Amino acid sequence: MEEKGTISIHTENIFPIIKKFLYSDHEIFLRELVSNAVDATQKLKKLASMGEFKEELGDLKIQVKLNKDAKTITISDKGIGMTAEEIKKYINQIAFSGATEFVEKYKDKGEQQLIGFFGLGFYSAFMVSSKVEIITKSYKEGSEAARWECDGSTQFEITKTVKKERGTDVVLHIAEDSTEFLDNYRLKSILDKYCKFLPVEIEFDGKVINNVAPIWTKQPSELKEEDYQNFYKELYPFSEPPLFHIHLNVDYPFNLTGILYFPKVKNNFEVHKNKIQLYSKQVFITDEVKDVVPEFLMLLHGVIDSPDIPLNVSRSFLQADSNVKKINNHITKKVADKLSEMYNNDPKGFEEKWEYIELFVKYGMITEDKFYDKAKDFCLLKNVKGEFYTLEKYKEHIKANQTDKSDNVVALYTSDTGKQDIFIQSAENKGYDVVVLSSPIDSHFVNLLERKLDKFNLKRVDSDSIDKLIDKDIKLESILTEDEKKTVKELFEKAINNSSYTVSLESLSVEELPVSITLPEFMRRMKDMANTGGMGMMGALPETYNVVVNENHALIKKILSQTDEESKIKVAKQAYDLALLSQGMLKGSDLTSFIKRSVELASA
């Protein structure tokens, strides 16, 4: 038997198209060919289980061999093999897929999940080869071995050959522009990347390189915590141990398995992203999973495997599909349920993990309404004393003492306990509670809570005097006359000499600071939005601070008691600089002048 012919395709230019455009990354030729070998092996096992193949299966290991001298890479399997007629049908006529026929034949026996989606996978071989040979022998009794050869044009040749065992050898004669693949380390790294968890043993350099039964293919009841921890180390050998995991195992209305791990996430998003690996029937596809996994879940690590995720022909890109949305929603629900269960079963243990999952939970609440609906019951607020409350419990905790004249509950928060300590102390002296909101996304989280929670406001502890923040109409009698107030305001305006700072006098407790500097809550939020890219079109916002002078402090009386205006301005400037210093806002030459002035005043 010898036959020559032309591959039945619709254009003479199919191979250049495959080589240049079909696959963005040439290294995946190995994934495609090894996956085909796995499919052929799985088909044989299925036929044997259904009694249609009665011989011994024997060793079904797939072998990848490199011959540097001959410049060849050979992928060998002991699967169903092909007859010469099947080669002509499945290899020469690209429009047909052996997988399609196999599914059709056995569709009533639940066999769809065995077969790959991709009839063009074999032709990725020509991205790296000047010539490809197939030497194959069908499992069917009495079959003759056949050899197919093609040099990347549309011309092929089929001849009889000798092959003792059933199965297929695909021999790639590596092209001059692809000699990078004639390297043991390079091939091993590709196999590790794409074939590490294939369900049939893959041998390279005399060693089996894959784990045929990774833990996501098993039932949770079969596994111990140690198994999950060991698998995490296998995936991420240099990472800290994860906090906990979620085992996904769904077969309706779509197929989905996987393990998702919660890493210890603090304040750096980017370090943690793109760590989830997507597989289709244990074949690695990509770690770009943003279409399958909601954005906030990109902070998780682990594996998702689903044959129901639609891929384009090169498997490189996910395609829009209702299943993708269902999978996305299911994963969100599973994660929310897991966190809720953890909080309800062990609130103290949940509090201990909060610093690592806080960013993740808040990010999810901001970006996904469905997640917010569940997370509002386990999202925690921590106050400066280290006490934890859920959102509703915190509202109840502060309601009696922190309700304004409009009946809104007002939560005071700090974004920096060090810088804002003096304001925190002032609030605590009045019996108010202060929560810590210092994560990178808390400016957005604050807006979310005010939008979602009824009659609930949040104000940063340094954005005004405390009494004004709570807005209870509490007013102390001032010890200054109206003329004295006018004089003090003018003195401070001259001392500050900066139009970005607005001076106001308030009648506060004598225990409060003589001068405090605040950035109004509204202006600070506008700045936060601008800094996080939310208002790029508005340009840089001007800084407009409030300088609040406490009319009742003894130092204000001391300023008025100075004998001349220069001395009055000097003491006012000192009080103002002290307020700047308390917030880390006094720097450079202004700080030097303050130190010299302090020495002068102390020596006077």
Side-chain angles (χ1 to χ4, degrees), residues 112-313:
Q112 287 88 333
Q113 298 312 319
L114 253 186
I115 312 305
F117 300 95
F118 318 105
L120 283 172
F122 166 74
Y123 283 92
S124 64
F126 288 98
M127 292 191 303
V128 299
S129 307
S130 57
K131 182 172 75 173
V132 177
E133 294 178 79
I134 298 173
I135 299 156
T136 184
K137 185 179 182 184
S138 172
Y139 75 96
K140 293 170 184 170
E141 201 173 333
S143 296
E144 289 186 319
R147 177 179 166 278
W148 176 91
E149 182 182 308
C150 179
D151 64 2
S153 69
T154 55
Q155 304 302 308
F156 71 88
E157 180 177 299
I158 297 179
T159 55
K160 286 183 183 180
T161 190
V162 176
K163 181 171 168 54
K164 288 183 180 178
E165 296 179 312
R166 70 159 196 267
T168 301
D169 302 332
V170 178
V171 184
L172 311 182
H173 296 263
I174 300 301
E176 285 303 316
D177 64 358
S178 298
T179 53
E180 63 176 288
F181 297 109
L182 295 172
D183 177 82
N184 282 57
Y185 180 80
R186 182 84 166 95
L187 290 187
K188 175 71 163 56
S189 67
I190 298 170
L191 290 167
D192 279 344
K193 180 176 179 180
Y194 293 107
C195 307
K196 195 173 182 178
F197 299 111
L198 282 174
V200 178
E201 288 189 343
I202 316 295
E203 185 178 274
F204 179 67
D205 279 354
K207 291 181 183 173
V208 172
I209 57 94
N210 59 321
N211 172 359
V212 297
I215 66 170
W216 78 78
T217 64
K218 299 175 182 177
Q219 292 296 319
S221 57
E222 298 174 50
L223 300 165
K224 298 176 182 172
E225 180 60 30
E226 184 184 355
D227 297 317
Y228 291 105
Q229 294 292 334
N230 289 340
F231 185 61
Y232 187 81
K233 283 181 199 166
E234 191 177 344
L235 291 175
Y236 314 105
F238 303 109
S239 295
E240 278 189 87
L243 291 166
F244 50 91
H245 66 268
I246 296 172
H247 193 135
L248 303 167
N249 196 346
V250 187
D251 56 18
Y252 182 82
F254 47 80
N255 283 275
L256 175 72
T257 53
I259 316 288
L260 292 177
Y261 292 94
F262 282 70
K264 291 181 177 179
V265 176
K266 283 205 173 174
N267 284 347
N268 190 337
F269 280 113
E270 299 309 317
V271 167
H272 299 278
K273 280 190 170 181
N274 297 329
K275 294 291 182 73
I276 296 177
Q277 299 173 9
L278 176 65
Y279 288 77
S280 179
K281 295 189 297 180
Q282 296 172 239
V283 180
F284 175 75
I285 304 300
T286 182
D287 53 14
E288 292 279 338
V289 296
K290 62 182 184 299
D291 294 317
V292 181
V293 174
E295 188 183 355
F296 76 99
L297 292 175
M298 298 279 282
L299 297 176
L300 299 184
H301 294 177
V303 165
I304 295 170
D305 190 329
S306 176
D308 291 338
I309 293 173
L311 306 163
N312 69 0
V313 73

Side-chain angles (χ1 to χ4, degrees), residues 39-138:
D39 280 348
T41 307
Q42 297 280 67
K43 287 176 185 176
L44 187 74
K45 287 165 78 172
K46 189 64 191 178
L47 292 171
S49 72
M50 294 188 297
E52 296 202 16
F53 177 69
K54 296 185 169 60
E55 296 174 31
E56 288 293 317
L57 287 172
D59 180 7
L60 293 176
K61 201 178 290 163
I62 292 162
Q63 293 182 314
V64 179
K65 294 175 185 171
L66 169 63
N67 187 328
K68 292 183 184 179
D69 295 333
K71 296 185 178 179
T72 61
I73 298 170
T74 303
I75 297 95
S76 303
D77 69 65
K78 299 184 181 73
I80 58 173
M82 289 181 282
T83 62
E85 286 303 310
E86 286 169 332
I87 291 177
K88 282 188 274 184
K89 184 173 181 181
Y90 300 145
I91 300 299
N92 294 348
Q93 297 177 29
I94 292 179
F96 292 100
S97 164
T100 305
E101 183 182 322
F102 195 84
V103 170
E104 190 64 30
K105 185 174 179 182
Y106 294 107
K107 65 182 179 183
D108 296 332
K109 301 181 183 180
E111 227 4 69
Q112 287 88 333
Q113 298 312 319
L114 253 186
I115 312 305
F117 300 95
F118 318 105
L120 283 172
F122 166 74
Y123 283 92
S124 64
F126 288 98
M127 292 191 303
V128 299
S129 307
S130 57
K131 182 172 75 173
V132 177
E133 294 178 79
I134 298 173
I135 299 156
T136 184
K137 185 179 182 184
S138 172

Side-chain angles (χ1 to χ4, degrees), residues 465-582:
S465 62
I466 296 300
D467 289 335
K468 268 198 175 179
L469 290 177
I470 301 299
D471 191 21
K472 286 185 169 183
D473 275 343
I474 297 172
K475 288 198 174 153
L476 296 174
E477 287 293 321
S478 174
I479 63 172
L480 300 182
T481 66
E482 290 304 314
D483 285 344
E484 285 175 325
K485 288 180 189 179
K486 185 180 176 186
T487 301
V488 169
K489 189 171 190 296
E490 288 171 354
L491 285 169
F492 271 94
E493 283 172 345
K494 288 175 183 175
I496 295 166
N497 192 28
N498 187 331
S499 60
S500 297
Y501 288 72
T502 304
V503 177
S504 63
L505 274 67
E506 289 185 27
S507 181
L508 304 173
S509 162
V510 294
E511 294 167 357
E512 296 288 337
L513 287 171
V515 180
S516 56
I517 297 167
T518 63
L519 182 63
E521 181 76 11
F522 171 74
M523 182 55 65
R524 188 195 52 70
R525 290 199 195 182
M526 297 280 278
K527 281 183 57 138
D528 285 346
M529 283 181 68
N531 290 338
T532 54
M535 297 172 62
M537 298 297 288
M538 292 185 65
L541 289 164
E543 303 215 322
T544 54
Y545 289 95
N546 287 338
V547 179
V548 180
V549 178
N550 180 3
E551 301 169 5
N552 296 331
H553 198 281
L555 184 58
I556 307 306
K557 275 291 189 185
K558 185 176 180 180
I559 292 170
L560 289 170
S561 71
Q562 299 299 305
T563 54
D564 57 82
E565 181 163 328
E566 186 182 342
S567 299
K568 289 174 182 175
I569 292 172
K570 191 176 191 177
V571 180
K573 176 70 171 164
Q574 188 72 357
Y576 166 69
D577 281 354
L578 273 167
L580 287 174
L581 186 68
S582 73

Side-chain angles (χ1 to χ4, degrees), residues 231-429:
F231 185 61
Y232 187 81
K233 283 181 199 166
E234 191 177 344
L235 291 175
Y236 314 105
F238 303 109
S239 295
E240 278 189 87
L243 291 166
F244 50 91
H245 66 268
I246 296 172
H247 193 135
L248 303 167
N249 196 346
V250 187
D251 56 18
Y252 182 82
F254 47 80
N255 283 275
L256 175 72
T257 53
I259 316 288
L260 292 177
Y261 292 94
F262 282 70
K264 291 181 177 179
V265 176
K266 283 205 173 174
N267 284 347
N268 190 337
F269 280 113
E270 299 309 317
V271 167
H272 299 278
K273 280 190 170 181
N274 297 329
K275 294 291 182 73
I276 296 177
Q277 299 173 9
L278 176 65
Y279 288 77
S280 179
K281 295 189 297 180
Q282 296 172 239
V283 180
F284 175 75
I285 304 300
T286 182
D287 53 14
E288 292 279 338
V289 296
K290 62 182 184 299
D291 294 317
V292 181
V293 174
E295 188 183 355
F296 76 99
L297 292 175
M298 298 279 282
L299 297 176
L300 299 184
H301 294 177
V303 165
I304 295 170
D305 190 329
S306 176
D308 291 338
I309 293 173
L311 306 163
N312 69 0
V313 73
S314 72
R315 312 193 193 195
S316 301
F317 302 102
L318 304 172
Q319 295 178 333
D321 182 88
S322 60
N323 268 342
V324 169
K325 187 66 182 166
K326 286 177 193 167
I327 289 170
N328 185 307
N329 289 339
H330 176 78
I331 293 171
T332 300
K333 180 180 182 301
K334 286 289 285 187
V335 168
D337 288 348
K338 174 74 175 184
L339 290 166
S340 180
E341 177 192 320
M342 286 172 60
Y343 174 72
N344 292 329
N345 291 347
D346 182 12
K348 277 290 172 201
F350 192 81
E351 288 171 9
E352 287 166 11
K353 293 182 176 73
W354 183 246
E355 68 171 307
Y356 300 113
I357 60 174
E358 171 187 9
L359 196 66
F360 163 84
V361 171
K362 289 176 178 177
Y363 190 23
M365 292 172 76
I366 291 165
T367 56
E368 292 274 332
D369 278 342
K370 285 183 181 175
F371 186 76
Y372 175 90
D373 292 339
K374 288 177 178 282
K376 70 182 189 298
D377 297 327
F378 56 73
C379 176
L380 299 180
L381 294 175
K382 183 175 84 164
N383 66 14
V384 292
K385 297 172 187 168
E387 300 165 337
F388 288 91
Y389 299 87
T390 61
L391 299 179
E392 278 304 318
K393 284 179 182 172
Y394 189 69
K395 206 173 163 185
E396 285 302 311
H397 173 63
I398 62 172
K399 189 175 182 179
N401 204 29
Q402 291 176 223
T403 298
D404 67 16
K405 61 186 180 185
S406 302
D407 215 27
N408 294 305
V409 175
V410 181
L412 302 178
Y413 72 95
T414 172
S415 60
D416 188 322
T417 52
K419 277 187 180 178
Q420 294 151 18
D421 181 69
I422 202 151
F423 295 96
I424 294 167
Q425 286 192 34
S426 176
E428 290 189 321
N429 287 342

Side-chain angles (χ1 to χ4, degrees), residues 366 440-449 451 528-529 532-534:
I366 291 165
I441 58 170
D442 273 330
S443 58
H444 298 281
F445 185 63
V446 163
N447 292 333
L448 174 80
L449 293 185
R451 197 169 74 246
D528 285 346
M529 283 181 68
T532 54

